[in-house]
PDB file of all heavy atoms in Angstrom:
ATOM      1  N   ALA A  67       0.858  -1.188   0.000  1.00  0.00           N
ATOM      2  CA  ALA A  67       0.000   0.000   0.000  1.00  0.00           C
ATOM      3  C   ALA A  67       0.890   1.232   0.000  1.00  0.00           C
ATOM      4  O   ALA A  67       1.877   1.302   0.733  1.00  0.00           O
ATOM      5  CB  ALA A  67      -0.917   0.009   1.212  1.00  0.00           C
ATOM      6  N   CYS A  68       0.514   2.184  -0.842  1.00  0.00           N
ATOM      7  CA  CYS A  68       1.246   3.440  -0.949  1.00  0.00           C
ATOM      8  C   CYS A  68       0.198   4.531  -1.094  1.00  0.00           C
ATOM      9  O   CYS A  68      -0.541   4.543  -2.093  1.00  0.00           O
ATOM     10  CB  CYS A  68       2.175   3.387  -2.147  1.00  0.00           C
ATOM     11  SG  CYS A  68       3.249   4.816  -2.292  1.00  0.00           S
ATOM     12  N   GLY A  69       0.112   5.384  -0.087  1.00  0.00           N
ATOM     13  CA  GLY A  69      -0.957   6.376  -0.093  1.00  0.00           C
ATOM     14  C   GLY A  69      -2.294   5.668  -0.035  1.00  0.00           C
ATOM     15  O   GLY A  69      -2.500   4.794   0.790  1.00  0.00           O
ATOM     16  N   ARG A  70      -3.191   5.986  -0.959  1.00  0.00           N
ATOM     17  CA  ARG A  70      -4.510   5.347  -0.993  1.00  0.00           C
ATOM     18  C   ARG A  70      -4.549   4.109  -1.888  1.00  0.00           C
ATOM     19  O   ARG A  70      -5.568   3.442  -1.975  1.00  0.00           O
ATOM     20  CB  ARG A  70      -5.549   6.346  -1.485  1.00  0.00           C
ATOM     21  CG  ARG A  70      -5.743   7.491  -0.533  1.00  0.00           C
ATOM     22  CD  ARG A  70      -6.796   8.416  -1.039  1.00  0.00           C
ATOM     23  NE  ARG A  70      -6.895   9.569  -0.157  1.00  0.00           N
ATOM     24  CZ  ARG A  70      -7.738  10.533  -0.337  1.00  0.00           C
ATOM     25  NH1 ARG A  70      -8.553  10.518  -1.363  1.00  0.00           N
ATOM     26  NH2 ARG A  70      -7.772  11.545   0.505  1.00  0.00           N
ATOM     27  N   ARG A  71      -3.457   3.831  -2.574  1.00  0.00           N
ATOM     28  CA  ARG A  71      -3.431   2.704  -3.507  1.00  0.00           C
ATOM     29  C   ARG A  71      -2.900   1.451  -2.822  1.00  0.00           C
ATOM     30  O   ARG A  71      -1.894   1.493  -2.106  1.00  0.00           O
ATOM     31  CB  ARG A  71      -2.549   3.056  -4.696  1.00  0.00           C
ATOM     32  CG  ARG A  71      -2.563   1.997  -5.752  1.00  0.00           C
ATOM     33  CD  ARG A  71      -1.933   2.467  -7.022  1.00  0.00           C
ATOM     34  NE  ARG A  71      -2.020   1.412  -8.016  1.00  0.00           N
ATOM     35  CZ  ARG A  71      -1.113   1.184  -8.931  1.00  0.00           C
ATOM     36  NH1 ARG A  71      -0.052   1.968  -9.005  1.00  0.00           N
ATOM     37  NH2 ARG A  71      -1.249   0.206  -9.775  1.00  0.00           N
ATOM     38  N   ARG A  72      -3.558   0.336  -3.072  1.00  0.00           N
ATOM     39  CA  ARG A  72      -3.137  -0.954  -2.514  1.00  0.00           C
ATOM     40  C   ARG A  72      -3.165  -1.983  -3.643  1.00  0.00           C
ATOM     41  O   ARG A  72      -4.149  -2.076  -4.374  1.00  0.00           O
ATOM     42  CB  ARG A  72      -4.072  -1.373  -1.386  1.00  0.00           C
ATOM     43  CG  ARG A  72      -3.666  -2.664  -0.721  1.00  0.00           C
ATOM     44  CD  ARG A  72      -4.500  -2.858   0.528  1.00  0.00           C
ATOM     45  NE  ARG A  72      -4.472  -4.229   0.959  1.00  0.00           N
ATOM     46  CZ  ARG A  72      -4.615  -4.625   2.201  1.00  0.00           C
ATOM     47  NH1 ARG A  72      -4.842  -3.729   3.150  1.00  0.00           N
ATOM     48  NH2 ARG A  72      -4.597  -5.888   2.518  1.00  0.00           N
ATOM     49  N   VAL A  73      -2.065  -2.734  -3.782  1.00  0.00           N
ATOM     50  CA  VAL A  73      -1.972  -3.755  -4.828  1.00  0.00           C
ATOM     51  C   VAL A  73      -1.635  -5.105  -4.209  1.00  0.00           C
ATOM     52  O   VAL A  73      -0.967  -5.179  -3.172  1.00  0.00           O
ATOM     53  CB  VAL A  73      -0.921  -3.380  -5.903  1.00  0.00           C
ATOM     54  CG1 VAL A  73      -1.314  -2.108  -6.635  1.00  0.00           C
ATOM     55  CG2 VAL A  73       0.471  -3.234  -5.294  1.00  0.00           C
ATOM     56  N   ARG A  74      -2.104  -6.147  -4.852  1.00  0.00           N
ATOM     57  CA  ARG A  74      -1.787  -7.509  -4.421  1.00  0.00           C
ATOM     58  C   ARG A  74      -0.390  -7.883  -4.888  1.00  0.00           C
ATOM     59  O   ARG A  74       0.066  -7.428  -5.943  1.00  0.00           O
ATOM     60  CB  ARG A  74      -2.805  -8.487  -5.003  1.00  0.00           C
ATOM     61  CG  ARG A  74      -4.163  -8.337  -4.384  1.00  0.00           C
ATOM     62  CD  ARG A  74      -5.189  -9.258  -4.978  1.00  0.00           C
ATOM     63  NE  ARG A  74      -4.644 -10.592  -5.206  1.00  0.00           N
ATOM     64  CZ  ARG A  74      -5.298 -11.555  -5.812  1.00  0.00           C
ATOM     65  NH1 ARG A  74      -6.513 -11.354  -6.260  1.00  0.00           N
ATOM     66  NH2 ARG A  74      -4.753 -12.737  -5.991  1.00  0.00           N
ATOM     67  N   LEU A  75       0.269  -8.721  -4.108  1.00  0.00           N
ATOM     68  CA  LEU A  75       1.595  -9.222  -4.477  1.00  0.00           C
ATOM     69  C   LEU A  75       1.589 -10.742  -4.507  1.00  0.00           C
ATOM     70  O   LEU A  75       1.079 -11.383  -3.583  1.00  0.00           O
ATOM     71  CB  LEU A  75       2.652  -8.758  -3.468  1.00  0.00           C
ATOM     72  CG  LEU A  75       2.939  -7.266  -3.402  1.00  0.00           C
ATOM     73  CD1 LEU A  75       3.946  -6.978  -2.299  1.00  0.00           C
ATOM     74  CD2 LEU A  75       3.436  -6.759  -4.732  1.00  0.00           C
ATOM     75  N   GLU A  76       2.154 -11.282  -5.562  1.00  0.00           N
ATOM     76  CA  GLU A  76       2.364 -12.709  -5.722  1.00  0.00           C
ATOM     77  C   GLU A  76       3.816 -12.895  -6.138  1.00  0.00           C
ATOM     78  O   GLU A  76       4.494 -11.925  -6.486  1.00  0.00           O
ATOM     79  CB  GLU A  76       1.408 -13.257  -6.777  1.00  0.00           C
ATOM     80  CG  GLU A  76      -0.051 -13.123  -6.358  1.00  0.00           C
ATOM     81  CD  GLU A  76      -1.014 -13.605  -7.426  1.00  0.00           C
ATOM     82  OE1 GLU A  76      -0.569 -13.958  -8.537  1.00  0.00           O
ATOM     83  OE2 GLU A  76      -2.222 -13.626  -7.139  1.00  0.00           O
ATOM     84  N   PRO A  77       4.320 -14.141  -6.124  1.00  0.00           N
ATOM     85  CA  PRO A  77       5.732 -14.344  -6.461  1.00  0.00           C
ATOM     86  C   PRO A  77       6.145 -13.671  -7.771  1.00  0.00           C
ATOM     87  O   PRO A  77       5.450 -13.753  -8.781  1.00  0.00           O
ATOM     88  CB  PRO A  77       5.847 -15.871  -6.548  1.00  0.00           C
ATOM     89  CG  PRO A  77       4.839 -16.338  -5.540  1.00  0.00           C
ATOM     90  CD  PRO A  77       3.673 -15.390  -5.721  1.00  0.00           C
ATOM     91  N   PHE A  78       7.239 -12.956  -7.674  1.00  0.00           N
ATOM     92  CA  PHE A  78       7.918 -12.243  -8.751  1.00  0.00           C
ATOM     93  C   PHE A  78       7.211 -10.966  -9.185  1.00  0.00           C
ATOM     94  O   PHE A  78       7.592 -10.364 -10.188  1.00  0.00           O
ATOM     95  CB  PHE A  78       8.253 -13.183  -9.924  1.00  0.00           C
ATOM     96  CG  PHE A  78       9.122 -14.313  -9.455  1.00  0.00           C
ATOM     97  CD1 PHE A  78       8.586 -15.573  -9.240  1.00  0.00           C
ATOM     98  CD2 PHE A  78      10.453 -14.087  -9.150  1.00  0.00           C
ATOM     99  CE1 PHE A  78       9.385 -16.600  -8.744  1.00  0.00           C
ATOM    100  CE2 PHE A  78      11.250 -15.112  -8.661  1.00  0.00           C
ATOM    101  CZ  PHE A  78      10.711 -16.370  -8.453  1.00  0.00           C
ATOM    102  N   ASP A  79       6.228 -10.517  -8.412  1.00  0.00           N
ATOM    103  CA  ASP A  79       5.699  -9.171  -8.595  1.00  0.00           C
ATOM    104  C   ASP A  79       6.710  -8.205  -7.982  1.00  0.00           C
ATOM    105  O   ASP A  79       7.350  -8.508  -6.961  1.00  0.00           O
ATOM    106  CB  ASP A  79       4.351  -8.989  -7.883  1.00  0.00           C
ATOM    107  CG  ASP A  79       3.214  -9.693  -8.590  1.00  0.00           C
ATOM    108  OD1 ASP A  79       3.389 -10.153  -9.735  1.00  0.00           O
ATOM    109  OD2 ASP A  79       2.134  -9.797  -7.970  1.00  0.00           O
ATOM    110  N   CYS A  80       6.837  -7.049  -8.582  1.00  0.00           N
ATOM    111  CA  CYS A  80       7.801  -6.042  -8.153  1.00  0.00           C
ATOM    112  C   CYS A  80       7.070  -4.726  -7.901  1.00  0.00           C
ATOM    113  O   CYS A  80       6.195  -4.347  -8.683  1.00  0.00           O
ATOM    114  CB  CYS A  80       8.854  -5.872  -9.245  1.00  0.00           C
ATOM    115  SG  CYS A  80      10.121  -4.658  -8.877  1.00  0.00           S
ATOM    116  N   VAL A  81       7.424  -4.049  -6.820  1.00  0.00           N
ATOM    117  CA  VAL A  81       6.816  -2.767  -6.463  1.00  0.00           C
ATOM    118  C   VAL A  81       7.929  -1.762  -6.199  1.00  0.00           C
ATOM    119  O   VAL A  81       8.905  -2.075  -5.510  1.00  0.00           O
ATOM    120  CB  VAL A  81       5.942  -2.897  -5.200  1.00  0.00           C
ATOM    121  CG1 VAL A  81       5.417  -1.557  -4.758  1.00  0.00           C
ATOM    122  CG2 VAL A  81       4.803  -3.861  -5.430  1.00  0.00           C
ATOM    123  N   VAL A  82       7.776  -0.569  -6.737  1.00  0.00           N
ATOM    124  CA  VAL A  82       8.727   0.520  -6.505  1.00  0.00           C
ATOM    125  C   VAL A  82       8.032   1.577  -5.658  1.00  0.00           C
ATOM    126  O   VAL A  82       6.936   2.028  -5.996  1.00  0.00           O
ATOM    127  CB  VAL A  82       9.202   1.149  -7.832  1.00  0.00           C
ATOM    128  CG1 VAL A  82      10.127   2.335  -7.567  1.00  0.00           C
ATOM    129  CG2 VAL A  82       9.882   0.102  -8.704  1.00  0.00           C
ATOM    130  N   ILE A  83       8.675   1.975  -4.552  1.00  0.00           N
ATOM    131  CA  ILE A  83       8.161   3.022  -3.671  1.00  0.00           C
ATOM    132  C   ILE A  83       9.107   4.207  -3.772  1.00  0.00           C
ATOM    133  O   ILE A  83      10.298   4.100  -3.477  1.00  0.00           O
ATOM    134  CB  ILE A  83       8.079   2.544  -2.198  1.00  0.00           C
ATOM    135  CG1 ILE A  83       7.307   1.224  -2.080  1.00  0.00           C
ATOM    136  CG2 ILE A  83       7.502   3.639  -1.324  1.00  0.00           C
ATOM    137  CD1 ILE A  83       5.843   1.298  -2.429  1.00  0.00           C
ATOM    138  N   HIS A  84       8.578   5.339  -4.194  1.00  0.00           N
ATOM    139  CA  HIS A  84       9.397   6.527  -4.400  1.00  0.00           C
ATOM    140  C   HIS A  84       9.609   7.298  -3.087  1.00  0.00           C
ATOM    141  O   HIS A  84       8.806   7.177  -2.156  1.00  0.00           O
ATOM    142  CB  HIS A  84       8.758   7.416  -5.463  1.00  0.00           C
ATOM    143  CG  HIS A  84       8.711   6.750  -6.797  1.00  0.00           C
ATOM    144  ND1 HIS A  84       9.830   6.588  -7.578  1.00  0.00           N
ATOM    145  CD2 HIS A  84       7.691   6.170  -7.472  1.00  0.00           C
ATOM    146  CE1 HIS A  84       9.506   5.945  -8.679  1.00  0.00           C
ATOM    147  NE2 HIS A  84       8.210   5.680  -8.643  1.00  0.00           N
ATOM    148  N   PRO A  85      10.670   8.091  -3.008  1.00  0.00           N
ATOM    149  CA  PRO A  85      10.958   8.860  -1.793  1.00  0.00           C
ATOM    150  C   PRO A  85       9.771   9.724  -1.389  1.00  0.00           C
ATOM    151  O   PRO A  85       9.079  10.293  -2.245  1.00  0.00           O
ATOM    152  CB  PRO A  85      12.148   9.735  -2.194  1.00  0.00           C
ATOM    153  CG  PRO A  85      12.758   9.059  -3.355  1.00  0.00           C
ATOM    154  CD  PRO A  85      11.637   8.362  -4.069  1.00  0.00           C
ATOM    155  N   GLY A  86       9.543   9.799  -0.093  1.00  0.00           N
ATOM    156  CA  GLY A  86       8.481  10.634   0.441  1.00  0.00           C
ATOM    157  C   GLY A  86       7.110   9.990   0.454  1.00  0.00           C
ATOM    158  O   GLY A  86       6.158  10.579   0.965  1.00  0.00           O
ATOM    159  N   ALA A  87       6.981   8.775  -0.090  1.00  0.00           N
ATOM    160  CA  ALA A  87       5.678   8.091  -0.136  1.00  0.00           C
ATOM    161  C   ALA A  87       5.495   7.224   1.103  1.00  0.00           C
ATOM    162  O   ALA A  87       6.323   6.353   1.392  1.00  0.00           O
ATOM    163  CB  ALA A  87       5.579   7.237  -1.387  1.00  0.00           C
ATOM    164  N   THR A  88       4.430   7.461   1.828  1.00  0.00           N
ATOM    165  CA  THR A  88       4.114   6.623   2.981  1.00  0.00           C
ATOM    166  C   THR A  88       3.645   5.271   2.466  1.00  0.00           C
ATOM    167  O   THR A  88       2.787   5.197   1.586  1.00  0.00           O
ATOM    168  CB  THR A  88       3.020   7.282   3.839  1.00  0.00           C
ATOM    169  OG1 THR A  88       3.497   8.560   4.277  1.00  0.00           O
ATOM    170  CG2 THR A  88       2.682   6.426   5.043  1.00  0.00           C
ATOM    171  N   HIS A  89       4.223   4.191   3.014  1.00  0.00           N
ATOM    172  CA  HIS A  89       3.915   2.858   2.509  1.00  0.00           C
ATOM    173  C   HIS A  89       3.904   1.804   3.604  1.00  0.00           C
ATOM    174  O   HIS A  89       4.458   2.005   4.673  1.00  0.00           O
ATOM    175  CB  HIS A  89       4.895   2.464   1.399  1.00  0.00           C
ATOM    176  CG  HIS A  89       6.326   2.463   1.846  1.00  0.00           C
ATOM    177  ND1 HIS A  89       7.056   3.618   2.012  1.00  0.00           N
ATOM    178  CD2 HIS A  89       7.160   1.449   2.158  1.00  0.00           C
ATOM    179  CE1 HIS A  89       8.278   3.316   2.397  1.00  0.00           C
ATOM    180  NE2 HIS A  89       8.365   1.987   2.495  1.00  0.00           N
ATOM    181  N   ARG A  90       3.235   0.693   3.283  1.00  0.00           N
ATOM    182  CA  ARG A  90       3.170  -0.496   4.136  1.00  0.00           C
ATOM    183  C   ARG A  90       3.180  -1.714   3.238  1.00  0.00           C
ATOM    184  O   ARG A  90       2.741  -1.648   2.098  1.00  0.00           O
ATOM    185  CB  ARG A  90       1.867  -0.541   4.936  1.00  0.00           C
ATOM    186  CG  ARG A  90       1.670   0.576   5.910  1.00  0.00           C
ATOM    187  CD  ARG A  90       0.332   0.457   6.609  1.00  0.00           C
ATOM    188  NE  ARG A  90       0.329  -0.773   7.393  1.00  0.00           N
ATOM    189  CZ  ARG A  90      -0.775  -1.356   7.859  1.00  0.00           C
ATOM    190  NH1 ARG A  90      -1.962  -0.860   7.608  1.00  0.00           N
ATOM    191  NH2 ARG A  90      -0.702  -2.453   8.582  1.00  0.00           N
ATOM    192  N   LEU A  91       3.636  -2.822   3.784  1.00  0.00           N
ATOM    193  CA  LEU A  91       3.555  -4.104   3.093  1.00  0.00           C
ATOM    194  C   LEU A  91       3.016  -5.126   4.071  1.00  0.00           C
ATOM    195  O   LEU A  91       3.263  -5.029   5.281  1.00  0.00           O
ATOM    196  CB  LEU A  91       4.925  -4.551   2.586  1.00  0.00           C
ATOM    197  CG  LEU A  91       5.447  -3.715   1.428  1.00  0.00           C
ATOM    198  CD1 LEU A  91       6.439  -2.705   1.920  1.00  0.00           C
ATOM    199  CD2 LEU A  91       6.017  -4.589   0.358  1.00  0.00           C
ATOM    200  N   GLY A  92       2.269  -6.097   3.548  1.00  0.00           N
ATOM    201  CA  GLY A  92       1.696  -7.093   4.435  1.00  0.00           C
ATOM    202  C   GLY A  92       1.522  -8.437   3.755  1.00  0.00           C
ATOM    203  O   GLY A  92       1.454  -8.537   2.533  1.00  0.00           O
ATOM    204  N   ALA A  93       1.454  -9.474   4.579  1.00  0.00           N
ATOM    205  CA  ALA A  93       1.213 -10.832   4.107  1.00  0.00           C
ATOM    206  C   ALA A  93      -0.288 -11.103   4.146  1.00  0.00           C
ATOM    207  O   ALA A  93      -1.013 -10.562   4.986  1.00  0.00           O
ATOM    208  CB  ALA A  93       1.950 -11.829   4.993  1.00  0.00           C
ATOM    209  N   ALA A  94      -0.737 -11.962   3.249  1.00  0.00           N
ATOM    210  CA  ALA A  94      -2.128 -12.403   3.269  1.00  0.00           C
ATOM    211  C   ALA A  94      -2.398 -13.128   4.592  1.00  0.00           C
ATOM    212  O   ALA A  94      -1.464 -13.618   5.239  1.00  0.00           O
ATOM    213  CB  ALA A  94      -2.396 -13.330   2.090  1.00  0.00           C
ATOM    214  N   ARG A  95      -3.646 -13.196   4.987  1.00  0.00           N
ATOM    215  CA  ARG A  95      -3.982 -13.851   6.266  1.00  0.00           C
ATOM    216  C   ARG A  95      -3.577 -15.317   6.311  1.00  0.00           C
ATOM    217  O   ARG A  95      -3.279 -15.849   7.365  1.00  0.00           O
ATOM    218  CB  ARG A  95      -5.477 -13.724   6.531  1.00  0.00           C
ATOM    219  CG  ARG A  95      -5.882 -12.337   6.891  1.00  0.00           C
ATOM    220  CD  ARG A  95      -7.316 -12.306   7.373  1.00  0.00           C
ATOM    221  NE  ARG A  95      -7.655 -10.950   7.747  1.00  0.00           N
ATOM    222  CZ  ARG A  95      -8.702 -10.305   7.300  1.00  0.00           C
ATOM    223  NH1 ARG A  95      -9.539 -10.896   6.468  1.00  0.00           N
ATOM    224  NH2 ARG A  95      -8.939  -9.076   7.687  1.00  0.00           N
TER     225      ARG A  95
END
């Protein structure tokens, strides 16, 4: 999650977080 946007992650998905962006990452339940 970055700002208001949240995307799903699966193996070999890549996410770039730019400077100054508030972000979180989490595992599925």
